[in-house]
Amino acid sequence: TFAAFAWAGNHVLARAVANKVPVWSLNTVRWLLVAALMALVAAPALYRDWPLIRRHWPPLAFLGVLGGGLFGVLQFIGLKYTNALNVSVMNSVAPALIALASVAIFRDPLSLLQCAGITISLGGVLAIVSKLDLGVLGGFAFNGGDVIIVINMGIWAIYSACLRLRPPIAGTSFLFMLAVWAAVTTLPGAVLEIWEGDYLLADAMTLGTLAYSSVLSSSLAYIAWGRGIEILGVTRAGAFLHLVPLFGAGLATTLLGETLGVHHVVGFVLILTGVSLAVGRGRRAAGPRDQR
């Protein structure tokens, strides 16, 4: 529950600062801070896990680039053009997309019921991005930010499906390596922003955003999510992702003045129904390594 709340808050915060803070620089510093925090917290585990980390650096690099660097940056970029409520609701499609990515990459079995669930969930996403306007669907006139977020959810699905490639190292060691590779991924974009004169300013807004995104939504939320999966299993824990749009709706309407529309409600109901079908049956009970 804490992880879901932290991620919903990150959507609201990212929307509030999206057009005021250089995105690539923000994410580079964010992941450097996470790496520093994990180095302090996880030094003994890192020392113990280092032989495995050196041996399995390619999958760790892949997961860090995909799930840390690209996912983090595209979320902030998408929120420049769409609202936090849309992003929070569309996050609920993640379990269905993860099932689809697992089939495409690892040939995991997929039942007809799961196919129907994935289709219904994607219909919920279309309801949100089109605002239930058939003219938008016919003319493909989607909001650019919504399209970026949908693509980004696909990236998250591939990352999550590929977590099975992660070596058997401690969660804090994994988060350290994820943060290092994410920072490396976003560094070129940060350098380009600085070259163009777009700097991070040491003002209250920037420092507050960095503190929240690095400590709460990255470090503590990832650790809480991993611990929750250890206790509940990935299928039961996945249901808690549906708290993201609920928390997001409360925060976005209260703090940002966004309006909860009929298309949000319809989209969420379709996504929730589809995900229930897609992950309710036929899925392997995953272990604690399958973390968000």
Side-chain angles (χ1 to χ4, degrees):
T1 301
F2 169 78
F5 180 81
W7 286 325
N10 195 58
H11 298 158
V12 174
L13 185 63
R15 173 59 180 168
V17 305
N19 294 301
K20 304 172 183 176
V21 176
V23 170
W24 291 90
S25 298
L26 179 71
N27 277 278
T28 299
V29 176
R30 164 198 182 185
W31 286 114
L32 287 174
L33 289 173
V34 173
L37 286 170
M38 289 302 102
L40 291 174
V41 172
L46 276 170
Y47 179 78
R48 183 180 64 249
D49 293 332
W50 193 249
L52 279 173
I53 290 172
R54 285 195 305 173
R55 195 180 313 150
H56 298 281
W57 71 265
L60 289 172
F62 174 75
L63 292 170
V65 169
L66 206 66
L70 291 179
F71 179 79
V73 166
L74 287 178
Q75 181 169 266
F76 275 81
I77 293 175
L79 278 160
K80 287 186 175 183
Y81 308 104
T82 189
N83 60 50
L85 195 50
N86 278 20
V87 175
S88 289
V89 173
M90 284 192 287
N91 263 253
S92 282
V93 81
L97 292 181
I98 292 169
L100 191 60
S102 298
V103 172
I105 300 171
F106 298 104
R107 301 293 188 267
D108 286 356
L110 189 67
S111 67
L112 289 176
L113 191 62
Q114 288 175 300
C115 289
I118 291 170
T119 302
I120 293 170
S121 292
L122 295 178
V125 173
L126 287 176
I128 296 167
V129 299
S130 69
K131 298 183 179 179
L132 299 178
D133 184 348
L134 293 179
V136 172
L137 290 176
F140 295 99
F142 297 131
N143 177 295
D146 289 333
V147 174
I148 291 172
I149 295 302
V150 171
I151 293 172
N152 208 29
M153 292 313 301
I155 289 175
W156 182 259
I158 295 171
Y159 161 78
S160 299
C162 291
L163 275 172
R164 68 187 70 184
L165 302 176
R166 167 189 158 186
I169 59 178
T172 49
S173 298
F174 174 69
L175 186 51
F176 171 80
M177 294 307 303
L178 180 83
V180 168
W181 282 108
V184 169
T185 303
T186 56
L187 183 59
V191 171
L192 182 60
E193 285 177 338
I194 294 171
W195 180 267
E196 295 177 345
D198 197 5
Y199 298 93
L200 278 176
L201 301 177
D203 54 21
M205 179 181 66
T206 301
L207 295 176
T209 301
L210 284 171
Y212 186 96
S213 61
S214 61
V215 177
L216 289 178
S217 70
S218 296
S219 300
L220 295 181
Y222 271 65
I223 291 171
W225 181 253
R227 179 58 180 153
I229 287 177
E230 288 178 3
I231 298 171
L232 299 175
V234 71
T235 302
R236 290 176 64 195
F240 282 77
L241 291 177
H242 300 301
L243 292 175
V244 174
L246 298 181
F247 287 136
L251 292 171
T253 54
T254 302
L255 300 178
L256 298 179
E258 295 181 359
T259 302
L260 181 66
V262 175
H263 60 287
H264 291 121
V265 177
V266 172
F268 179 67
V269 170
L270 288 172
I271 290 171
L272 184 59
T273 302
V275 168
S276 298
L277 293 174
V279 304
R281 298 181 185 178
R283 292 294 303 279
R284 173 183 63 87
R289 287 173 54 191
D290 297 316
Q291 299 179 30
R292 186 179 201 271

